[in-house]
Amino acid sequence: MSSLRLLKIIWVFGRYRLDTLLDISSLPWYVRIAIACFPLRWFFRATGSNGRRLRLALEHLGPVFVKFGQILSTRRDLLPEDMATELAFLQDRVAPFSSDLAIKTIEKAHGRRVTETFARFDNEPLASASIAQVHTAALHNGAEVVVKVIRPNIEPTIRKDVRLMHLLARLLELSTDGRRLRPVEVVEDFKRTILDEFDLLREAANASMLRRNSLEEGKLYVPWVDFELTKRSVLVMERIYGVPIADIDALKAKGTDMSVLAERGVEIFFSQVFKDSFFHADMHPGNIFVDISDPAQPKYIGIDCGIVGSLSREDQAYLAQNLLAFFNRDYYRVAQLHVESGWVPSTTRVNEFEAAIRSVCEPIFEKPLGEISFGLLLIRLFQTARRYDMTVQPQLVLLQKTLLNIEGLGRQLYPQLDLWKTAKPFLEQWVKDQVGPKRFFETIKQHAPSWIAKAPEMPDLIHTALTQVQLGSRSEQNIADHLAQMEKQAQVQRKKQRRRWLAVVVVGIAIVVPNAENWMPSLNNSQWLAVVIGVLLFLWP
């Protein structure tokens, strides 16, 4: 099966002339010969842009490769702009599977008939995708819910396709251009993301966390999850009713305040990233609805929480300071923060890195602030930093993707949206809170119980630590003495080796040179003396 799948991939590669995406001259000679002899090159012409042909090829290969292309489209730090934009048009079009199979999966997960679990279960799916499909239902208490069911037998198929992707990624790394795209790293990111989506308990936990974080502010509503009925392959959660965020005409017809809606999206993003350190990382239009029961104060509704991101406190601080330094045009501080955070190697020359950042950012800042794309600025930064061996962490890639989605969505809703005007006060206040007295006392309050509990043990811990330091010092001295002794022995052995080689040379000259013409040499007294000296040199300890 895998070999047939590989043959299909090779055929699609030739059908859409994906060989033109590679720099042939940078490939090894044997690969260049193989591509030159590839018969499909003679039958199909490369028509259309590179991005379009790549998109069509991924669609031809099916839902797993479509999903890969969708994730690849978020790596704008790696791909050319036009190719990333083209891949963003990929649609996960998959025919729904039989409702009988869905019911069997639900009954196997719950251990009872579906009629015992639900008062009503609708056979017609509400939505269908490559990993799962969704049905509507009602609980016996009257609550309306949606039931998400993992597509049967899809996991082994996806694992096989991922293995083939690894093979293709390693082949792609044979070229210079291919290595620049880091294909193995991208496939690994995809593998982690897609395999996580098979565990609906993880998605349920993510939804519950986002719901708890957002309830107080009231700007985002996340539906509740029925954990009793949720299993690894089945997710049961509240059914929501709202206007799809992409239906701008319907939102305007209801009198929705579009400026408030756009700004709230930005506020939700920055609140999740910096206040909660837990953000919804799949905020494309299909996952967002709007509650317009109060059109003047519209509320977001978020679903499909399978992909989330989280930043450490250190990453939060560096990111916030980076963004503030960017918009203050303090490029030296931006470069310095990258080195301090470990995002680029400590050997990076800050002045040189600063100059590279300035050359990228100055043209962007020639525009009015309201026209500057936050997301694209972050992408430019990542692209520049990659030249200095920056390894972009998965959480930063998710952040970049989410920021692009939120920003693009916000400007669709309200073209005059000034992202910086909305974000700057939030970032400045957050940075101030992290270093102010309030944060200091919060840290003490947080750690005080632990410090008090450990206080009685401190004398013993200090004594143990000092003892270990003392023993460590002795141990280090012993190791140093041992190494010195080994070096001394090595010097003696080298001297012996030199003497023995000298002995061989002396004996050889004494015997061979005077008797070069004789097959069996005869030795005179002086030659015997040389031989004896050579033997003594050889045996001398």
Side-chain angles (χ1 to χ4, degrees), residues 226-395:
D226 189 324
F227 277 100
E228 188 180 342
L229 297 178
T230 295
K231 309 297 177 186
R232 192 174 187 275
S233 57
V234 177
L235 171 64
V236 180
M237 67 190 309
E238 176 189 5
R239 184 177 184 181
I240 54 95
Y241 299 90
V243 179
I245 192 109
D247 194 348
I248 295 173
D249 291 338
L251 291 170
K252 287 181 177 178
K254 296 288 185 180
T256 307
D257 190 327
M258 304 300 275
S259 64
V260 170
L261 186 61
E263 287 173 3
R264 280 194 163 186
V266 177
E267 290 166 3
I268 288 166
F269 170 75
F270 279 95
S271 180
Q272 287 185 352
V273 170
F274 291 103
K275 180 171 167 282
D276 305 325
S277 187
F278 191 79
F279 58 95
H280 193 311
D282 201 15
M283 292 290 274
H284 63 76
N287 288 340
I288 307 172
F289 295 81
V290 183
D291 176 1
I292 51 172
S293 52
D294 181 359
Q297 295 294 322
K299 182 188 291 187
Y300 281 82
I301 304 172
I303 61 170
D304 196 352
C305 306
I307 304 174
V308 295
S310 180
L311 297 181
S312 67
R313 185 164 292 281
E314 290 77 15
D315 279 347
Q316 283 179 316
Y318 283 119
L319 186 63
Q321 291 178 58
N322 256 303
L323 291 172
L324 288 171
F326 257 120
F327 281 89
N328 292 327
R329 302 199 187 190
D330 186 353
Y331 303 123
Y332 185 84
R333 182 60 181 150
V334 173
Q336 201 174 36
L337 284 164
H338 273 68
V339 175
E340 288 175 4
S341 66
W343 292 351
V344 295
S346 58
T347 53
T348 302
R349 293 181 180 177
V350 176
N351 290 335
E352 187 180 317
F353 191 26
E354 176 201 5
I357 294 170
R358 184 187 297 108
S359 67
V360 168
C361 294
E362 275 301 309
I364 295 174
F365 283 116
E366 289 302 311
K367 299 178 181 179
L369 276 178
E371 295 178 18
I372 292 173
S373 169
F374 237 140
L376 288 176
L377 187 66
L378 207 58
I379 289 165
R380 297 284 182 270
L381 172 63
F382 287 169
Q383 288 172 337
T384 304
R386 274 196 180 280
R387 303 207 309 264
Y388 293 84
D389 296 326
M390 176 181 180
T391 301
V392 179
Q393 301 299 319
Q395 66 270 21

Side-chain angles (χ1 to χ4, degrees), residues 28 37 45 133 166 216 220 262 292 302 349 356 395 438:
C37 299
R45 293 180 60 191
Q133 76 181 28
H166 267 292
E216 186 180 339
L220 171 69
I292 51 172
R349 293 181 180 177
Q395 66 270 21
K438 183 181 176 184

